[in-house]
Structures are given as structure tokens and as C-alpha cells.
Amino acid sequence: MSYELIGITVLWFFLYGYLIVASIDFGAGFFAYYARVTKKDHIINQLISRYLSPVWEVTNVFFVFFFVGLVGFFPDTAYYYGQSLLIPGSIAIVLLAIRGSFYAFESYGSKDNAVYMFFYGATGLLIPASLSTALTISEGGFIEETANGVQLLYGELLTSPYSWSVVFLALVSVLYISAMFLTYYADRAGDKPALELVRKYALFWSSPTIIASLTTFIALSQQNLDHFQRALELWWVFGISVAFFMVAVFLIYIGRYYGLAFIAVMLQFLFAFFGYGASHLPYILRPYITLTSGVTHESMAIALIVAFIAGLCLLIPSLILLMRMFLFDAEYVKGKK
Amino acid sequence: MFELDGATISRMLTSMTLLFHAIFATVGVGVPVMVSIAEFIGIKKKDPHYTLLARRWTRGYTITVAVGVVTGTAIGLQLSLIWPSFMQLAGNVIALPLFMETFAFFFEAIFLGIYLYTWDRFKNPIYHWLLSIPVVIGGTLSAFFITTVNSFMNQPQGFEMENGTVTSIDPLAAMFNPATPTKVFHVISSSYLTSAAILAGIAAIFILWKKGSTYHKKALKLTVTFTFLFAILTAVAGDLSAKFLAEYQPEKLAAGEWHFETEEGADLIVFGTLNENNEVENAIRIPNALSFLAYGDFNAEVEGLEETPVDEQPPLWIHYMFDLMVSIGFYLLGISLLFLVFWKVKKWNENNRLLLTGIALAGPLSMLAVEFGWVYAEVGRQPWILRGFMTVTEGATTSPYVGWMFLLFLALYIVLGTGCIVVLRKMFKDNPAELELERLFPQVAATKEDDQS
């Protein structure tokens, strides 16, 4: 395996990790606000904050990790994405900043502030929408290089059916993943009322998720036929993803094995995400950066891979410790510690 | 403001983000050290005052760390958004420390989460204290890695430039460039110093305004002691940094010291003003001290600013930044020493109002010194973004929208800054230490009469 392929695989894994942990967080923010509006906040807010408080910072790091790693392995992305994404990128930073700090202010400082809750819920939907721009423009056709540097074509972006279907997919899958996770967590906590509520959310958001996946696929064929055809060659990967989707929804529907159901959700997105990523290659940003043209020098790539392996040796045991203490410690989840 | 050119606005935006982040980053590196020390003393002495101290500091710390995390994320992204050409080039050479910094940050984030939620989870409190060690290590390592990146920008090496593309990259040589040791040492020691001074300032204010209890007096003694130790360390680091500058970045030292002509036995100019002919007025001149500062020899030759081409000279106002930073450093050293002397001499009262006011001032002053120091270091390498390779203008984005982004981020920092202050105030105002001591350690609060003293 060449080092640029190792590099992009590693980065893709981190983006996938971010997709899962951030979706739980973003969706939880929305559900917390929604529950407040519908006067059901007493049922699930305790549950959400018990999970989120110890892990919100870790969520953020997955994202930092991805973009720092991307610039490291593929320095050209800094130039093209940096030039073109100034506005959507800055808006995403501001939203992330408001969200992260307000979460801390809320949970460690003043309790139960309606304004905080609103921002927390709203940013949970706006952030996935603004971040998905970066994936959209990677398909090509949204930026142009002129003598004055690289420009993002806002008109193209805002009128493209593909870009809107990506935004829609991002939104519904955030809510779906989050509800699926909360269902599992509520079950662990033995919290019946919360379980009933989030289980309904999970079932509700499952159908838009699968519909949005299909529409995005169709829109892709309009936007970038090459990519669409490479995706069709990997049809079996997407098939496995759909199979896991059905397993997850079935388990939630019959109301048993919530842990397995969430693992099925993770596998559903793992296959879909890697299928999407693999068919995207060899382009990273079409047509300016390919896997081989944009890669950093060999010595740096090797140094990064070594650092990455050393870092994982440190991180994996720490993450396991974190999960054992707050995710899989039944006493903690139930609120007894 | 939109008449300014893109590079200038880009610089303003980055300065604003960094100056705001520096406040929280400095506290983020230093406070865990103080927390860990306090918790350890609490366990060893079986004194719940110290344990409570560690707990309350940690609680305030979570708020500042949140702002630190989000502004740090902002910088990470802004680097590529505002300086795309620079990052394209630098990404090839310094990706390694940037990447490792996120590992350190990851490590710290995981253990901070665990540390915060496990205060009462272990029978033996030493296990909880052990969890503070990775937080300290993670914070300090982040500072280390990110400072190596900044050192590289000051003293680039580990690559070759051929027709605008970089070749022969040596990631470790880039990371461990000549600027790295002194810069890292100075950044870490001053972060520890600033955090200790701020915590000392808070304790002093409590004793001044509210006749603080034994708890606050113990806090004061602990924090001032460490302020003194870290001040010595920072002074040593600062001296080494000056010697580094003299050898590798003479134009920064020369501009900072208003040293225009190369000469032996150079005088050190303290404060003063410049007239329109760039002549120094109203300054205190310490004969031969600059030579000593730069080379440890009163008669050494120090390179003057005239040796640097005019268009590569840093602005001369950085002299004030240098002087303010150094003066505050010595003030911190002096005031903490004075307190320690008053404390050790039995008949003197270390809690006299004048001394306490001095310590209360030390907190905000130390943070200002950090900001002045960074401004000196960063503006002192103008016009370069990568000294000798790329100017700031070449590195900046060409997007016409940076001005609007400046306003957007200005609004963000105002909101974050205000939120942070409001929440911190609320957190401690309604929950004084005495009440919390009673709640958490009722047996201690009931049996000890010392809280009335």
C-alpha cells in the first residue's frame, strides 16, 4: 500500500469517527432543544448531559485531527480549500465556537438557560450543513482558478441540486445517528420513559435518511458522472450498507438488542462512507488535486505515519478508559456515580 | 477599514485571534500544573483546604479550557483559510509537529474529561490525582509542539527551496530548529508563571475584599511560592532567548533594543522615546548591558539594525513591547520575593494591604506580559511570515472577503469573552469556598475553628 493511500485511509477513518461522534453530539443538541419546546426536557436532558459532558472536547479533536492531517498529507488542499472556503469555513468555525463554549458555559456554569439551549440546538443543524460544503465542492465544478487566486462560485453552489441533497443528507443522518445512539444509551441507563421517546425519534428519522442517501446518489450522477460510475462499480459496498441499515431499524423496531442496533448503524455508515470515499479517488479535489499529485514529500509522509502509529498507541488505551468509565459503566450511566 | 489591503486585514484578523487565544492557551497550559500540585499537597497533608482549592480551580478551568479549545480550533482552520499559500508550503515541512500537537490535545481532552467526573469515584484519592498527570503532560506537550511550529517560522530549516518548490525535507530538522529550545522553554515557563500569578491574584483579592479565610491564605502562600519559582525559571528562559536572538535573529534584537549601529560594548536602552530622526530620547542607558545580555560579555560586538536591508527591518515600536514584558517579569519576581520574605520574617505581616494589592495586580499584569511578549516575537520578524523565504504579503489569501471575516470574528470574541466572564462570576459568587468546604467536608469545617481567624 503506497503511503498516500495509507494517508487518505487514515484521514478518512478520522472523518468517519468525527461523523459518528459529532452526529451524536449535534443531534443531541437538537433533541434537547426540541424536548424543551415540547415540554419533555425532564425526560431526556439528564441522559444527554451525562453522556456529553465528559466527551464533548474529544469530539472536537476528531475534527481538528482530520483537517490538520489533511493539510499535512496533502498540502495542496490548504491552498485550494483555504482560498475557496474562507466564508463557509469561517462560518463553521464561528458556529463550532459558539456551540462548544456555550455547552461548557451551560453545563458547568448557569443551568437551564433557554437562549443557550436554542443556540445549542440550532448550531447542531447548521454546522453539518456548513461542513458538508467542503465535501460538495470536492466533486468539481464549484471553484475556478483565476489570476487572482481560487474563487468559490457561490451561484453554482447555491443552485446545485447535488449540494442541497448533500446538506439534506447531512441533516437527517445526524438526527438518525444521534437518536439511534441515545436509544442505546437510554436502554443502558434503564430509563424507560427516555427510551420510549428517543426510540420514536430513531424510527422517525430512519426513512428520511435512506431516502436522502438515494437522492444524493441520483444527484451525483448529474453532478459528476465519473464518480457516479465508479460508485456503481462498488455497488456491493453500498448494498452491505443498506443491509446494515435494515438490521438496525429492525432491531429498534422490535425493541431489543439496542447495542447491536447501534453497531449496525456504525457499520451502515462505515460502508457507505468508505464506498463514497473509494469511488471519489483518485481525485481529492476535482480537477486540481489527485491522490498522487497533492501528496507531501516521502520523508514527511513517513514521519507522519510513524507519528500516527505512536499516537494511536497512546490514544486507543485512553479512549478505551474513557468509554469504560462513562459509556459502559452501568452505574455511571444510571446516574449513580 | 475596507480600504486596507488584504494582507493587512489578514494580519489584523490573525493577530486578534491569536491574542485572544493566547489568554486561554496560557491558562490552559499552566493551571493544570497548579491544580495537580494543590491536589497532591491536599492528599499528602490530609488537608481538605488544598483539595478544595484543586476542585475549585478545576471548575473555573473548564470554562477557560472550553474557550481555549474553540479558539484553538479556529486558529487551526484559519491558518489554511487566511494563509493558504503559506500553509501549502509549510504543510510540506512542519506537518509533523502540527499533527503531533493534535495528539497531545487529544490526550489532554480525554483525561480532562475523566479527571472532571471522577472526583469521588476512587477509594484511594491518589488514583484521582494520577489522572491529573496526563492532563499536565498533554497541555505542556501541546505548547511544546505548537511552539516548534512558531520557531520554524522564525528560523526555517530542514528543507531546500528550488524554483519556488520545496525539496529535501527533513521533518525533524525543521522541528528542532535553533529557535526551538529557547522558545519552548520561555513559552512553557511563562505559562506556568502567568497561571500561578493569576491564581495568586485571585486569592489576594479575596483576602483584600472579603477578609478571606484560612483557605484563601493557604491558597495565597502556595500560589505566590510558585509564582516566585516560575518567575526565576522564566527570567532564565528570557535571558537564553536574548542570547539566541543575538546570534540568529539580530534584526529582531536590534529593533527591540533600538540598537542601530554595530558596536562593541553596546548600551542597553530602557524605555525612552524616538524623535523624528530616529534618535533615542528620555531613555535610561545601562552601559555595556546589551553586550552582556546578548553574549554574556560586556565588551562583545552586537550587530546593529543598519546591517539589515531597510525593507526587511521590523517596526521600531516593538521596543516598548520588549521593555514592558521584561519590566513585568521583574515586577513578578520582586513582588513574590517580597511576600515570601514577609512571610518568613515572623514579626512582619505578609497580609498587609499594600503587598496584597501588589499581588492582585500581578495577575492581570502577567497576562499582559504574555501578550506583549508574543507581539514582540511576532512583529519582530516582520516582514517575513517564513523568515528569509516568504513575506507576509505573499502568504495571505487573495479573497476579497477577509474584512467581513474580521468583523465576524470580532463579534465572536466579544461574545465568548463576555460569556466567559459572566459564567465564571456566577460560578463563584453564589458558592463561596467556606460553604463548599462545609458541604464537602462537614467534619473538617465543624471541628476547625480556624476559618474565623
Side-chain angles (χ1 to χ4, degrees):
Chain A
M1 203 172 179
S2 60
Y3 52 76
E4 60 264 33
L5 203 55
I6 298 178
I8 197 74
T9 311
V10 162
L11 293 173
W12 211 239
F13 254 109
F14 270 91
L15 195 58
Y16 165 74
Y18 183 65
L19 177 95
I20 298 292
V21 291
S23 293
I24 295 173
D25 181 4
F26 294 150
F30 176 79
F31 290 131
Y33 181 69
Y34 179 74
R36 192 190 168 94
V37 172
T38 54
K39 305 254 182 293
K40 287 178 181 154
D41 43 341
H42 57 282
I43 304 178
I44 59 166
N45 283 8
Q46 181 71 16
L47 186 80
I48 290 174
S49 81
R50 284 196 82 73
Y51 163 74
L52 284 183
S53 301
V55 301
W56 75 266
E57 268 190 89
V58 177
T59 307
N60 212 38
V61 190
F62 272 96
F63 180 51
V64 178
F65 214 112
F66 172 73
F67 69 72
V68 170
L70 185 70
V71 171
F73 272 107
F74 305 97
D76 284 354
T77 56
Y79 180 71
Y80 286 98
Y81 278 113
Q83 280 281 14
S84 52
L85 288 179
L86 179 69
I87 292 179
S90 297
I91 291 174
I93 299 174
V94 169
L95 292 172
L96 279 169
I98 289 180
R99 180 181 184 78
S101 49
F102 276 32
Y103 180 71
F105 292 174
E106 228 269 326
S107 55
Y108 307 119
S110 68
K111 294 274 177 214
D112 272 349
N113 186 318
V115 181
Y116 284 179
M117 290 296 286
F118 173 75
F119 273 111
Y120 194 60
T123 52
L125 296 184
L126 290 172
I127 293 169
S130 68
L131 289 182
S132 62
T133 313
L135 280 183
T136 305
I137 71 163
S138 73
E139 295 297 342
F142 296 109
I143 61 179
E144 66 172 3
E145 194 167 18
T146 63
N148 289 327
V150 180
Q151 316 277 334
L152 181 57
L153 306 169
Y154 288 93
E156 300 278 334
L157 186 69
L158 294 176
T159 54
S160 150
Y162 177 69
S163 102
W164 288 108
S165 58
V166 170
V167 168
F168 184 64
L169 177 62
L171 289 186
V172 292
S173 33
V174 157
L175 295 170
Y176 167 71
I177 294 173
S178 186
M180 284 296 210
F181 176 80
L182 290 173
T183 308
Y184 158 69
Y185 204 64
D187 181 53
R188 288 283 302 177
D191 187 342
K192 272 265 150 45
L195 175 66
E196 279 315 303
L197 189 65
V198 286
R199 185 172 158 261
K200 263 185 227 144
Y201 293 163
L203 288 173
F204 178 82
W205 288 108
S206 62
S207 36
T209 303
I210 203 75
I211 294 168
S213 310
L214 284 174
T215 51
T216 308
F217 221 67
I218 295 162
L220 179 66
S221 70
Q222 308 289 311
Q223 182 68 37
N224 182 342
L225 197 59
D226 272 5
H227 185 176
F228 178 72
Q229 273 162 355
R230 280 193 301 273
L232 283 186
E233 285 164 27
L234 290 172
W235 63 270
W236 54 275
V237 179
F238 296 99
I240 295 174
S241 171
V242 173
F244 277 116
F245 167 78
M246 295 197 294
V247 170
V249 174
F250 176 73
L251 290 177
I252 297 286
Y253 182 74
I254 61 168
R256 282 160 72 187
Y257 310 115
Y258 294 112
L260 279 181
F262 189 68
I263 289 173
V265 171
M266 285 177 67
L267 290 170
Q268 173 200 337
F269 279 89
L270 182 78
F271 279 95
F273 196 65
F274 272 81
Y276 167 77
S279 54
H280 199 294
L281 294 179
Y283 289 107
I284 289 176
L285 176 62
R286 193 186 156 95
Y288 302 104
I289 311 171
T290 65
L291 194 60
T292 43
S293 78
V295 75
T296 185
H297 293 255
E298 190 175 349
S299 52
M300 180 54 84
I302 292 167
L304 287 177
I305 292 169
V306 171
F308 177 75
I309 293 168
L312 276 192
C313 295
L314 195 71
L315 284 186
I316 290 176
S318 321
L319 273 174
I320 291 175
L321 182 67
L322 184 77
M323 289 200 278
R324 281 187 53 172
M325 288 185 124
F326 300 106
L327 267 181
F328 303 116
D329 186 321
E331 296 292 302
Y332 173 82
V333 180
K334 284 175 188 157
K336 289 184 183 147
K337 271 187 183 171
Chain B
M1 62 173 278
F2 295 143
E3 286 126 54
L4 296 170
D5 66 288
T8 308
I9 306 176
S10 301
R11 277 183 65 196
M12 285 163 56
L13 174 51
T14 308
S15 320
M16 179 173 68
T17 303
L18 284 170
L19 288 176
F20 189 73
H21 178 66
I23 299 173
F24 300 93
T26 305
V27 170
V29 173
V31 169
V33 178
M34 296 305 296
V35 166
S36 183
I37 292 169
E39 193 186 2
F40 186 71
I41 296 177
I43 294 169
K44 280 292 144 195
K45 286 191 171 175
K46 297 202 171 24
D47 183 341
H49 280 127
Y50 290 99
T51 312
L52 184 64
L53 207 52
R55 273 193 177 217
R56 287 172 69 90
W57 283 346
T58 310
R59 207 169 322 134
Y61 177 69
T62 54
I63 301 298
T64 59
V65 100
V67 182
V69 167
V70 297
T71 51
T73 310
I75 291 183
L77 271 169
Q78 270 187 355
L79 275 178
S80 297
L81 295 175
I82 304 178
W83 309 99
S85 310
F86 162 70
M87 281 306 279
Q88 188 179 24
L89 191 143
N92 279 300
V93 196
I94 43 158
L96 183 67
L98 276 174
F99 199 54
M100 286 166 86
E101 199 264 347
T102 58
F103 269 117
F105 172 37
F106 214 144
F107 190 61
E108 183 190 1
I110 291 173
F111 280 93
L112 184 64
I114 300 178
Y115 184 78
L116 284 177
Y117 289 89
T118 51
W119 276 96
D120 301 312
R121 234 166 139 174
F122 303 104
K123 278 208 181 70
N124 186 346
I126 207 83
Y127 289 127
H128 184 259
W129 174 75
L130 284 175
L131 290 170
S132 72
I133 305 289
V135 180
V136 171
I137 293 175
T140 301
L141 275 183
S142 299
F144 168 77
F145 288 124
I146 211 65
T147 309
T148 66
V149 173
N150 181 267
S151 307
F152 170 82
M153 293 160 80
N154 279 283
Q155 211 58 46
Q157 66 167 39
F159 67 100
E160 271 161 41
M161 203 66 161
E162 279 168 21
N163 311 322
T165 55
V166 284
T167 54
S168 323
I169 291 162
D170 180 351
L172 289 178
M175 202 173 144
F176 295 97
N177 58 72
T180 297
T182 48
K183 244 194 168 110
V184 165
F185 183 23
H186 200 41
V187 165
I188 293 177
S189 60
S190 60
S191 300
Y192 290 1
L193 166 62
T194 305
S195 305
I198 287 173
L199 296 173
I202 294 172
I205 288 172
F206 263 95
I207 300 174
L208 272 175
W209 287 357
K210 307 208 165 144
K211 297 258 168 283
S213 58
T214 313
Y215 166 83
H216 295 110
K217 285 174 187 156
K218 283 180 182 167
L220 189 68
K221 282 177 184 162
L222 177 73
T223 48
V224 175
T225 309
F226 279 95
T227 304
F228 178 69
L229 293 176
F230 293 144
I232 294 176
L233 214 59
T234 308
V236 173
D239 182 57
L240 292 174
S241 303
K243 292 185 168 43
F244 160 79
L245 285 184
E247 197 175 339
Y248 289 94
Q249 268 182 293
E251 76 281 3
K252 190 191 275 186
L253 189 71
E257 299 299 338
W258 288 349
H259 178 62
F260 300 111
E261 284 159 34
T262 304
E263 60 181 354
E264 288 173 14
D267 297 351
L268 182 68
I269 295 172
V270 183
F271 296 107
T273 52
L274 279 183
N275 65 18
E276 59 271 26
N277 303 324
N278 266 358
E279 282 157 4
V280 181
E281 291 172 347
N282 311 321
I284 311 167
R285 276 181 175 271
I286 307 175
N288 297 25
L290 183 61
S291 291
F292 186 74
L293 187 73
Y295 293 103
D297 167 5
F298 285 105
N299 294 312
E301 185 182 270
V302 184
E303 191 184 311
L305 195 58
E306 60 179 13
E307 313 280 334
T308 309
V310 177
D311 58 347
E312 292 178 17
Q313 289 179 1
L316 291 172
W317 58 264
I318 59 171
H319 173 70
Y320 303 112
M321 297 291 118
F322 182 82
D323 278 5
L324 286 167
M325 168 185 76
V326 175
S327 312
I328 294 174
F330 278 105
Y331 172 78
L332 292 172
L333 192 63
I335 195 91
S336 54
L337 179 65
L338 211 58
F339 177 89
L340 295 181
V341 169
F342 269 64
W343 172 20
K344 291 301 168 193
V345 177
K346 282 277 180 288
K347 36 181 193 190
W348 292 345
N349 174 19
E350 76 271 14
N351 289 319
N352 76 60
R353 296 192 71 83
L354 207 60
L355 201 50
L356 287 177
T357 313
I359 294 171
L361 281 175
L365 281 177
S366 63
M367 189 53 89
L368 281 176
V370 168
E371 303 280 15
F372 294 147
W374 274 116
V375 172
Y376 170 65
E378 294 306 286
V379 179
R381 69 180 153 93
Q382 291 301 315
W384 300 109
I385 193 166
L386 208 53
R387 186 173 171 270
F389 290 97
M390 186 186 255
T391 63
V392 167
T393 319
E394 290 163 346
T397 178
T398 52
S399 168
Y401 307 108
V402 234
W404 292 104
M405 295 303 110
F406 180 84
L407 295 179
L408 178 73
F409 280 99
L410 179 66
L412 173 71
Y413 301 141
I414 292 174
V415 169
L416 290 185
T418 323
C420 189
I421 294 168
V422 169
V423 171
L424 280 175
R425 256 184 65 99
K426 217 171 171 181
M427 187 183 264
F428 292 103
K429 211 180 133 204
D430 308 333
N431 186 17
E434 295 73 25
L435 280 182
E436 198 175 348
L437 191 71
E438 232 164 87
R439 205 174 61 237
L440 287 170
F441 308 102
Q443 70 289 1
V444 182
T447 52
K448 285 205 178 160
E449 72 297 343
D450 57 11
D451 275 2
Q452 277 94 52
S453 67

